Amino acid sequence: MSKKILIIGACGQIGTELTHKLRAIHGVENVIASDIRKLNNDVVNSEPFEVINALDYNQIEHLVEQYHIEEVYLMAALLSATAEKNPAFAWDLNMNSLFHVLNLAKAKKIKKIFWPSSIAVFGPTTPKENTPQYTIMEPSTVYGISKQSGERWCEYYHNIFGVDVRSIRYPGLISWSTPPGGGTTDYAVDIFHKAITDGKYECFLSSETKMPMMYMEDAIQATVDIMEAPTESIKIRSSYNLAAMSFTPTQIAAEIQKHIPNLQVTYKPDFRQKIADSWPASIDDSQARQDWNWKNKFNIETMTVEMLKQLRENVYK
Ligand code: VAH
């Protein structure tokens, strides 16, 4: 019988596509999507969907028992820009939702956990280029502090209680199926939408802000791959560095202009510039490539073609 999976935060940028992917692999009826509200009709209407609060242990425990859940993907969190505006709630949501799921695994009520970390765990004192798996980590954002702390707890619960929790430090993720949502890297999503709808885009970062990025399809495949990898191949239980490409706003604008020549981009950095400046420009993900055969499929050229195709066929048709 197929294993039962619960996705918490299924209506978010990653959760939406993760829900579809896991349902394609395991069967719709075996993947329970959940979120704080019915935020995404596509996910909600594709059943089974449950409204739960990621901060309510009893609600999560009840779902786990009701559906005989074996694996939990905890995708609910406040991202970097939003978290700076709501530090206390961001810490509460990002940390206590993780403790609830880790404690369910410690109590043997579930068998395996996926928890997303981020390159936001690195800070201004981290080597910026080809940032290694192990290095200085002094995150200067609420989001980054919560992700660094979460990584320490994941490793602790694995080492002390034998919890099988697996994690990836996602770079900026680019996808077409959900609108940009409170991330500092989300300029790289918004520019595609505005290129099609307005032919112009005002970027909230400076033109040469280089950051690690990845197309969502690659991020989802990596999530499936790390969860399906044999236990003995998962040698890092904090979180794996992962990368695919790095680019600046100038570079992604030029790539889009190959297809939409009249696109006009202006630059007006706001509070998110300081967040972006604290993060790496590029990431060394050789450990993930070595341990569980990670490899990206998309680069800036192929991602741009795919993003424009999907947006024109599905969003702005
Ligand atoms: C953010 N998209 O911008 C997220 C991501 C590396 C950044 O974690 O907050």
Side-chain angles (χ1 to χ4, degrees), residues 23 69 82 89 134 137 157 207 252 254 309:
R23 285 178 168 169
I69 299 295
T82 312
F89 178 57
Y134 299 104
M137 297 169 80
Y157 267 71
S207 62
I252 191 67
K309 175 177 178 294

PDB file of all heavy atoms in Angstrom, residues 23 69 82 89 134 137 157 207 252 254 309:
ATOM      1  N   ARG A  23       1.608  13.872  -5.520  1.00  0.00           N
ATOM      2  CA  ARG A  23       0.367  13.176  -5.901  1.00  0.00           C
ATOM      3  C   ARG A  23       0.552  12.406  -7.203  1.00  0.00           C
ATOM      4  O   ARG A  23       0.008  11.307  -7.371  1.00  0.00           O
ATOM      5  CB  ARG A  23      -0.796  14.171  -6.013  1.00  0.00           C
ATOM      6  CG  ARG A  23      -1.296  14.604  -4.641  1.00  0.00           C
ATOM      7  CD  ARG A  23      -2.407  15.622  -4.677  1.00  0.00           C
ATOM      8  NE  ARG A  23      -3.012  15.746  -3.330  1.00  0.00           N
ATOM      9  CZ  ARG A  23      -3.863  16.703  -2.996  1.00  0.00           C
ATOM     10  NH1 ARG A  23      -4.237  17.618  -3.907  1.00  0.00           N
ATOM     11  NH2 ARG A  23      -4.356  16.764  -1.772  1.00  0.00           N
ATOM     12  N   ILE A  69      -0.645   8.941   8.610  1.00  0.00           N
ATOM     13  CA  ILE A  69       0.465   9.600   7.919  1.00  0.00           C
ATOM     14  C   ILE A  69       1.807   8.986   8.307  1.00  0.00           C
ATOM     15  O   ILE A  69       2.048   8.736   9.498  1.00  0.00           O
ATOM     16  CB  ILE A  69       0.488  11.117   8.249  1.00  0.00           C
ATOM     17  CG1 ILE A  69      -0.805  11.792   7.783  1.00  0.00           C
ATOM     18  CG2 ILE A  69       1.715  11.807   7.664  1.00  0.00           C
ATOM     19  CD1 ILE A  69      -1.040  11.814   6.284  1.00  0.00           C
ATOM     20  N   THR A  82       9.057  39.230   4.656  1.00  0.00           N
ATOM     21  CA  THR A  82       7.884  39.268   5.546  1.00  0.00           C
ATOM     22  C   THR A  82       8.300  39.108   7.001  1.00  0.00           C
ATOM     23  O   THR A  82       7.786  39.780   7.898  1.00  0.00           O
ATOM     24  CB  THR A  82       6.905  38.133   5.160  1.00  0.00           C
ATOM     25  OG1 THR A  82       6.710  38.147   3.754  1.00  0.00           O
ATOM     26  CG2 THR A  82       5.565  38.299   5.852  1.00  0.00           C
ATOM     27  N   PHE A  89       6.332  36.741  15.326  1.00  0.00           N
ATOM     28  CA  PHE A  89       5.482  35.700  14.726  1.00  0.00           C
ATOM     29  C   PHE A  89       6.314  34.796  13.816  1.00  0.00           C
ATOM     30  O   PHE A  89       6.127  33.583  13.779  1.00  0.00           O
ATOM     31  CB  PHE A  89       4.327  36.323  13.935  1.00  0.00           C
ATOM     32  CG  PHE A  89       3.467  35.292  13.255  1.00  0.00           C
ATOM     33  CD1 PHE A  89       2.855  34.276  13.989  1.00  0.00           C
ATOM     34  CD2 PHE A  89       3.315  35.291  11.867  1.00  0.00           C
ATOM     35  CE1 PHE A  89       2.080  33.293  13.359  1.00  0.00           C
ATOM     36  CE2 PHE A  89       2.547  34.314  11.240  1.00  0.00           C
ATOM     37  CZ  PHE A  89       1.935  33.315  11.978  1.00  0.00           C
ATOM     38  N   TYR A 134      30.213  23.711   4.976  1.00  0.00           N
ATOM     39  CA  TYR A 134      30.580  24.065   6.360  1.00  0.00           C
ATOM     40  C   TYR A 134      31.384  25.356   6.320  1.00  0.00           C
ATOM     41  O   TYR A 134      32.431  25.421   5.689  1.00  0.00           O
ATOM     42  CB  TYR A 134      31.425  22.948   6.997  1.00  0.00           C
ATOM     43  CG  TYR A 134      30.699  21.624   7.087  1.00  0.00           C
ATOM     44  CD1 TYR A 134      30.991  20.583   6.201  1.00  0.00           C
ATOM     45  CD2 TYR A 134      29.686  21.427   8.029  1.00  0.00           C
ATOM     46  CE1 TYR A 134      30.307  19.378   6.270  1.00  0.00           C
ATOM     47  CE2 TYR A 134      28.993  20.219   8.102  1.00  0.00           C
ATOM     48  CZ  TYR A 134      29.311  19.208   7.223  1.00  0.00           C
ATOM     49  OH  TYR A 134      28.631  18.019   7.280  1.00  0.00           O
ATOM     50  N   MET A 137      28.627  31.028   9.782  1.00  0.00           N
ATOM     51  CA  MET A 137      27.178  31.260   9.575  1.00  0.00           C
ATOM     52  C   MET A 137      26.683  32.237  10.632  1.00  0.00           C
ATOM     53  O   MET A 137      26.416  31.858  11.766  1.00  0.00           O
ATOM     54  CB  MET A 137      26.415  29.936   9.694  1.00  0.00           C
ATOM     55  CG  MET A 137      26.791  28.916   8.637  1.00  0.00           C
ATOM     56  SD  MET A 137      26.112  27.299   9.010  1.00  0.00           S
ATOM     57  CE  MET A 137      24.438  27.534   8.435  1.00  0.00           C
ATOM     58  N   TYR A 157      17.813  16.252  16.887  1.00  0.00           N
ATOM     59  CA  TYR A 157      16.764  15.219  16.988  1.00  0.00           C
ATOM     60  C   TYR A 157      17.188  13.944  16.252  1.00  0.00           C
ATOM     61  O   TYR A 157      16.836  12.837  16.636  1.00  0.00           O
ATOM     62  CB  TYR A 157      15.438  15.744  16.451  1.00  0.00           C
ATOM     63  CG  TYR A 157      14.551  16.358  17.519  1.00  0.00           C
ATOM     64  CD1 TYR A 157      14.867  17.583  18.105  1.00  0.00           C
ATOM     65  CD2 TYR A 157      13.402  15.704  17.969  1.00  0.00           C
ATOM     66  CE1 TYR A 157      14.070  18.139  19.084  1.00  0.00           C
ATOM     67  CE2 TYR A 157      12.584  16.253  18.938  1.00  0.00           C
ATOM     68  CZ  TYR A 157      12.916  17.469  19.508  1.00  0.00           C
ATOM     69  OH  TYR A 157      12.128  18.016  20.500  1.00  0.00           O
ATOM     70  N   SER A 207      21.094  46.610  -9.567  1.00  0.00           N
ATOM     71  CA  SER A 207      21.204  45.817 -10.804  1.00  0.00           C
ATOM     72  C   SER A 207      22.263  44.711 -10.738  1.00  0.00           C
ATOM     73  O   SER A 207      22.163  43.723 -11.467  1.00  0.00           O
ATOM     74  CB  SER A 207      21.539  46.770 -11.959  1.00  0.00           C
ATOM     75  OG  SER A 207      22.799  47.394 -11.716  1.00  0.00           O
ATOM     76  N   ILE A 252      19.252  38.526 -15.600  1.00  0.00           N
ATOM     77  CA  ILE A 252      17.947  37.918 -15.873  1.00  0.00           C
ATOM     78  C   ILE A 252      17.130  38.840 -16.782  1.00  0.00           C
ATOM     79  O   ILE A 252      16.409  38.367 -17.674  1.00  0.00           O
ATOM     80  CB  ILE A 252      17.184  37.549 -14.583  1.00  0.00           C
ATOM     81  CG1 ILE A 252      15.953  36.678 -14.903  1.00  0.00           C
ATOM     82  CG2 ILE A 252      16.785  38.778 -13.781  1.00  0.00           C
ATOM     83  CD1 ILE A 252      16.292  35.302 -15.438  1.00  0.00           C
ATOM     84  N   ALA A 254      18.365  40.756 -19.141  1.00  0.00           N
ATOM     85  CA  ALA A 254      18.920  40.557 -20.497  1.00  0.00           C
ATOM     86  C   ALA A 254      18.418  39.241 -21.096  1.00  0.00           C
ATOM     87  O   ALA A 254      18.110  39.170 -22.293  1.00  0.00           O
ATOM     88  CB  ALA A 254      20.444  40.562 -20.434  1.00  0.00           C
ATOM     89  N   LYS A 309       6.962  30.444 -21.325  1.00  0.00           N
ATOM     90  CA  LYS A 309       6.014  29.501 -21.952  1.00  0.00           C
ATOM     91  C   LYS A 309       4.866  29.179 -20.989  1.00  0.00           C
ATOM     92  O   LYS A 309       3.681  29.297 -21.327  1.00  0.00           O
ATOM     93  CB  LYS A 309       6.757  28.220 -22.336  1.00  0.00           C
ATOM     94  CG  LYS A 309       5.907  27.082 -22.893  1.00  0.00           C
ATOM     95  CD  LYS A 309       6.790  25.885 -23.299  1.00  0.00           C
ATOM     96  CE  LYS A 309       5.963  24.699 -23.819  1.00  0.00           C
ATOM     97  NZ  LYS A 309       5.102  24.107 -22.722  1.00  0.00           N
TER      98      LYS A 309
END
